[in-house]
Amino acid sequence: MYFPYSRIEFMQKIEHIGIAVNSLEKSIPLFEQLLGTLCYKTESVTSENVNTAFFKTGESKIELIEDSTEGSIIQKFIEKKGEGIHHIAFSTDNIEGEIKRLKSLGFEFIQEIPKKGADNKLICFLKPKSTNGVLVELCQEIV
Ligand code: ZN
């Protein structure tokens, strides 16, 4: 069988899509118009040197990300690729279990210990080279 897992609820949904932008000030009104909904939260994530802004789109969210410090990961991303989709985040109720499961399958992580990210989440990222070039974030709600 191609998909050998009996449990398919590991990745519960696409929690959000992260979009790298030059300026939240410019992009928040743009995405408010695009999505027809207001930004419901902005948050600075000091561990990543970024500022974020969130929009609800049904079950998922859009996260706009700008750098807050020279030389942040977002600035480097935009220099290389321009503004655009930066990562896809999947939610899980067991981030530690998911890290173990994915490592055992050969996936590589940027950091293997989850850290506190924006929006009250524990997060970790996989290395894009192990996921067809897509930066994948796992996130678990902190309760
Ligand atoms: Zn994210």
Side-chain angles (χ1 to χ4, degrees), residues 16 63 87 89 125 137:
H16 63 268
E63 173 189 33
H87 66 272
F125 287 94
E137 174 185 345

Side-chain angles (χ1 to χ4, degrees), residues 50-73:
V50 297
N51 300 318
T52 60
F54 286 89
F55 303 80
K56 291 195 171 108
T57 54
E59 287 217 326
S60 302
K61 297 168 191 159
I62 296 292
E63 173 189 33
L64 301 182
I65 319 156
E66 72 169 10
D67 68 17
S68 61
T69 315
E70 281 287 300
S72 80
I73 45 168

Side-chain angles (χ1 to χ4, degrees), residues 51-110:
N51 300 318
T52 60
F54 286 89
F55 303 80
K56 291 195 171 108
T57 54
E59 287 217 326
S60 302
K61 297 168 191 159
I62 296 292
E63 173 189 33
L64 301 182
I65 319 156
E66 72 169 10
D67 68 17
S68 61
T69 315
E70 281 287 300
S72 80
I73 45 168
I74 291 302
Q75 188 189 16
K76 285 179 192 146
F77 176 89
I78 290 176
E79 275 168 14
K80 226 161 107 185
K81 299 187 175 174
E83 292 179 295
I85 293 179
H86 178 258
H87 66 272
I88 298 179
F90 295 98
S91 61
T92 169
D93 57 6
N94 180 3
I95 195 167
E96 306 270 0
E98 277 300 77
I99 292 169
K100 274 193 204 121
R101 182 180 73 85
L102 292 171
K103 272 179 68 181
S104 75
L105 293 170
F107 290 94
E108 293 177 44
F109 283 79
I110 292 171

Side-chain angles (χ1 to χ4, degrees), residues 1 7 9 12 22 26 29 36 46 49 60 72 79 81 87 92 94 101 115 118 124 127 131 136 138:
M1 195 167 71
R7 276 190 65 187
E9 69 272 30
Q12 294 165 325
N22 282 319
K26 285 185 187 148
T46 47
N49 297 321
S60 302
S72 80
E79 275 168 14
K81 299 187 175 174
H87 66 272
T92 169
N94 180 3
R101 182 180 73 85
K115 59 182 172 181
C124 68
K127 286 187 180 166
T131 50
V136 172
L138 304 182

Side-chain angles (χ1 to χ4, degrees), residues 28-29 31-33 35-41 54-56:
I28 286 173
F31 274 80
E32 285 178 339
Q33 288 180 334
L35 300 170
T37 186
L38 296 174
C39 169
Y40 70 92
K41 175 158 73 173
F54 286 89
F55 303 80
K56 291 195 171 108

